[in-house]
Amino acid sequence: MKDNNKDVERWCIILNQTVLVLDFGGQFNQLIARRVRESNVYCEVHPYNISIMDIKKHNPIGIILTGGPNSVYEEGSPKLDKEIFNMGIPILGICYGSQLMAHTLGGEVSNSITREYGKTLTNYDNTSDIFSGIDNNAYSWMSHTDYISKIPEGFKKTAYTSSCPVAAMEDKSRNLYAIQFHPEVSHTEYGKDMIQNFLIIICKAKKDWTMGNYAKTSIISIKEKVGNGKVLLALSGGVDSSVAAALVSKAVGDNLICIFVDHGFMRKDEAEEVRVAFSGMNLNLIIVDAKKRFMDRLIGVFDPEDKRKIIGEEFIRVFEDEAKKIGSVDYLVQGTIYPDVIESGFGNSAVIKSHHNVGGIPDCVEFKEIIEPLRLLFKDEVRDLGLEIGLPEYLVFRQPFPGPGLAIRIIGDITEKKLDILRESDYIFREEIEKAGLDKNINQYFTVLTSVKSVGVMGDFRTYDYTLALRAVTTTDFMTADFAKIPYEDLEKISVRIVNEVKHINRIVYDITTKPPSTIEWE
Ligand code: XMP
């Protein structure tokens, strides 16, 4: 497991009150951390088996136990030192965390034959601090098989559903709270309020985590660390690397050199747009044309994880080569953010995708060190930070574009021909979405070239060509997402234009899946 906490000490002097999120390996775990930060409370995610001594070192105002895939009765399932419940620190157990609390403190957890999954009408006792100010009946997001069948001594039940007798319980005198459902998931009505109630009413949080403070402390830390060393930064033009560039530039000025690698998987006109966007910003910017290098390595590669890893590795090689040309470069900055770290297998969660700027980093990198000043920040925090340090809104609110670019929007192997098809179709899709004024409400939209070919008819001729998928999502955190409800008339316009203007596409489909169970990108 990566030790993310050393980064905390390195990048910011944490003067804030801290909540510890103990990770039991559920897929929504990091959303919990985001919800806490959103409430202006600093939190850190630690593995569930952190020692009592380490917990004390952090002097937390509260602890949250996350969900996880295990059953408390399973052999080897993650357990907690019982002592943790006697420390006098407010604790909120969620899903597996709630079952573990019940099990550890003498209650009972049982296995149900059916899984309770999805939006579930839940009855809340709103005299409980945690449910203060919310309706008695509202929907919660459930995802469990085991359930608390007997509450431990000293606890009272504070919520239930038709199939879950204890959807929440608490022992107010010991500041112990447990919730079976997932308040962190946006599908839970009032979920945010519940987390805020825990933080503000129960943990007495002062809400002292702000991006203004983070900017000040991280600029000082970067300055101290880098001294007069030269720093290279991978600029993609996306919000993360742009904010990282602006932040590091404030700390080291001219010693920062930004490199934009054109790997050939950029959207139409992207390299030029990046050049124009940053030309006014007083940054040392080098644009490297590495199209051939990347393409040579990707010929015949079909597997998405292989593609991601190859692209990540080649990126580093290009930087090493550029660094050698520049001479004596000490540090490489990357705009890695917290969700990248999480979804690349942080903690106990399963690896969903290796993000090219994390999973793809080879072991022998020829730099003294890699600096990731945004590693602990969520996307919305990165945007706030960007505005805080004076970046223009159009850069800060640009829709995200993945590091591996169009390479992961072509299913299967990549060819120049497929790239051209994808680029043109993507351009039309974006243009039409913007023309229709839908771009304000859709957080990410792009086309995907599937490997499916099907029969069509154009003029009087049979065609056998590609199926193109349109993907457009609304989301606040990119960890969960809904498909955008684009009006049919607009979809029709888009479809007609693409089929008429882009050769080799004879069928267009619209992706109507949410995340989860899908992801936003197709690979
Ligand atoms: P998924 O597909 O995992 O995407 O639901 C979530 C968000 O992350 C972006 N994404 C990436 N960004 N490097 C990046 O910098 C990557 O390897 C990568 N893969 C996905 C994706 O575009 C979406 O905004």
Side-chain angles (χ1 to χ4, degrees):
M1 175 173 175
K2 288 175 197 296
D3 180 4
N4 65 323
N5 301 306
K6 69 178 173 20
D7 296 284
V8 174
E9 287 155 21
R10 196 190 301 150
W11 292 119
C12 48
I13 310 144
I14 299 297
L15 303 168
N16 307 74
Q17 293 181 321
T18 301
V19 165
L20 295 186
V21 177
L22 303 194
D23 181 359
F24 286 89
Q27 278 301 320
F28 299 135
N29 287 358
Q30 312 308 327
L31 261 186
I32 297 173
R34 186 177 170 273
R35 298 286 176 244
V36 175
R37 301 267 194 95
E38 236 173 38
S39 313
N40 293 107
V41 178
Y42 181 70
C43 68
E44 288 177 22
V45 182
H46 287 262
Y48 69 89
N49 55 1
I50 181 175
S51 68
I52 297 279
M53 216 171 69
D54 281 342
I55 290 179
K56 283 184 183 157
K57 272 191 211 156
H58 287 89
N59 193 21
I61 58 166
I63 295 175
I64 300 180
L65 314 176
T66 76
N70 301 84
S71 161
V72 290
Y73 293 115
E74 240 168 68
E75 208 184 309
S77 62
K79 296 283 175 343
L80 269 183
D81 186 337
K82 196 172 175 178
E83 187 46 33
I84 208 169
F85 297 107
N86 297 327
M87 293 174 81
I89 302 167
I91 299 182
L92 170 64
I94 294 175
C95 196
Y96 180 80
S98 73
Q99 293 162 9
L100 191 62
M101 185 185 288
H103 177 69
T104 312
L105 298 176
E108 268 172 32
V109 174
S110 301
N111 192 262
S112 160
I113 29 168
T114 52
R115 187 163 173 231
E116 194 181 31
Y117 184 80
K119 275 191 183 179
T120 311
L121 192 61
T122 307
N123 181 280
Y124 299 108
D125 170 358
N126 53 16
T127 62
S128 156
D129 284 341
I130 209 134
F131 301 128
S132 170
I134 73 163
D135 283 350
N136 275 128
N137 289 296
Y139 283 96
S140 73
W141 180 262
M142 286 284 190
S143 177
H144 69 113
T145 313
D146 284 3
Y147 65 96
I148 299 169
S149 45
K150 186 172 154 250
I151 60 177
E153 222 179 284
F155 277 74
K156 71 168 187 171
K157 173 165 100 173
T158 52
Y160 62 88
T161 74
S162 60
S163 54
C164 180
V166 184
M169 63 171 196
E170 67 185 41
D171 179 350
K172 190 173 171 164
S173 66
R174 288 196 284 166
N175 266 329
L176 302 179
Y177 297 81
I179 294 181
Q180 176 57 69
F181 53 88
H182 289 271
E184 70 277 21
V185 171
S186 57
H187 308 307
T188 293
E189 292 179 284
Y190 305 107
K192 273 188 192 175
D193 304 78
M194 295 169 197
I195 291 175
Q196 285 205 5
N197 284 345
F198 175 68
L199 297 169
I200 291 153
I201 304 176
I202 297 162
C203 302
K204 314 266 184 283
K206 289 187 294 200
K207 303 174 90 172
D208 56 1
W209 168 249
T210 67
M211 284 303 105
N213 289 338
Y214 185 82
K216 278 186 216 136
T217 51
S218 55
I219 288 169
I220 294 169
S221 305
I222 296 167
K223 238 184 217 161
E224 274 174 8
K225 178 178 194 65
V226 170
N228 287 324
K230 271 209 180 115
V231 186
L232 263 195
L233 182 140
L235 189 69
S236 70
V239 57
D240 305 339
S241 61
S242 303
V243 172
L247 191 70
V248 177
S249 152
K250 282 194 184 299
V252 308
D254 269 357
N255 280 339
L256 172 69
I257 301 155
C258 296
I259 295 183
F260 175 84
V261 175
D262 186 351
H263 50 24
F265 312 129
M266 296 295 167
R267 289 169 289 200
K268 192 171 170 177
D269 300 336
E270 186 134 31
E272 180 55 17
E273 276 171 20
V274 168
R275 198 190 58 72
V276 172
F278 288 92
S279 60
M281 278 177 64
N282 222 8
L283 283 181
N284 289 330
L285 175 63
I286 299 170
I287 297 184
V288 186
D289 183 346
K291 295 190 197 91
K292 185 166 175 334
R293 277 178 79 150
F294 279 87
M295 203 53 170
D296 285 350
R297 288 207 56 193
L298 283 164
I299 287 171
V301 180
F302 285 78
D303 182 78
E305 277 299 283
D306 289 348
K307 285 191 203 171
R308 285 175 167 277
K309 288 193 174 135
I310 290 170
I311 293 170
E313 196 182 293
E314 199 56 28
F315 244 96
I316 297 290
R317 298 291 162 243
V318 174
F319 279 116
E320 284 171 353
D321 291 351
E322 287 307 310
K324 276 182 207 142
K325 283 186 215 158
I326 295 159
S328 70
V329 168
D330 306 294
Y331 298 93
L332 174 70
V333 180
Q334 288 203 320
T336 316
I337 66 167
Y338 213 20
D340 302 339
V341 179
I342 296 152
E343 298 202 7
S344 291
F346 169 84
N348 302 302
S349 313
V351 174
I352 306 297
K353 295 176 184 184
S354 300
H355 277 232
H356 97 269
N357 40 3
V358 182
I361 293 177
D363 293 336
C364 51
V365 176
E366 291 173 30
F367 299 96
K368 196 158 132 194
E369 213 171 302
I370 291 184
I371 299 178
E372 295 174 314
L374 314 177
R375 190 179 174 84
L376 291 175
L377 302 186
F378 289 102
K379 198 86 179 179
D380 53 339
E381 293 177 320
V382 174
R383 290 207 167 96
D384 286 350
L385 179 61
L387 295 176
E388 196 68 46
I389 58 179
L391 278 181
E393 283 199 9
Y394 79 91
L395 265 186
V396 169
F397 291 101
R398 250 187 130 195
Q399 67 160 315
F401 186 62
L406 302 184
I408 54 161
R409 292 178 180 171
I410 291 174
I411 307 306
D413 69 328
I414 303 158
T415 62
E416 290 295 350
K417 182 179 146 188
K418 288 183 188 172
L419 277 167
D420 285 343
I421 296 173
L422 186 60
R423 248 188 224 114
E424 286 307 315
S425 64
D426 188 68
Y427 187 78
I428 294 171
F429 186 36
R430 283 189 289 138
E431 199 172 64
E432 287 299 322
I433 290 285
E434 280 148 35
K435 257 200 232 159
L438 296 168
D439 54 316
K440 313 279 177 301
N441 300 319
I442 303 179
N443 305 96
Q444 199 171 3
Y445 46 99
F446 53 88
T447 58
V448 176
L449 187 62
T450 75
S451 55
V452 172
K453 280 187 156 187
S454 70
V455 175
V457 55
M458 204 170 256
D460 293 330
F461 296 99
R462 176 188 191 269
T463 57
Y464 186 61
D465 270 327
Y466 287 110
T467 300
L468 184 87
L470 308 175
R471 182 65 161 150
V473 295
T474 53
T475 173
T476 49
D477 49 37
F478 294 88
M479 296 182 79
T480 56
D482 201 357
F483 71 90
K485 313 294 183 296
I486 301 178
Y488 281 151
E489 306 78 65
D490 296 308
L491 283 173
E492 188 179 6
K493 257 189 232 157
I494 292 159
S495 165
V496 169
R497 260 200 79 187
I498 294 177
V499 171
N500 281 327
E501 293 176 37
V502 185
K503 267 198 195 140
H504 303 297
I505 292 177
N506 68 354
R507 193 176 296 273
I508 297 193
V509 294
Y510 187 44
D511 181 347
I512 53 164
T513 37
T514 56
K515 173 185 179 178
S518 272
T519 53
I520 296 173
E521 303 288 346
W522 276 35
E523 285 199 335

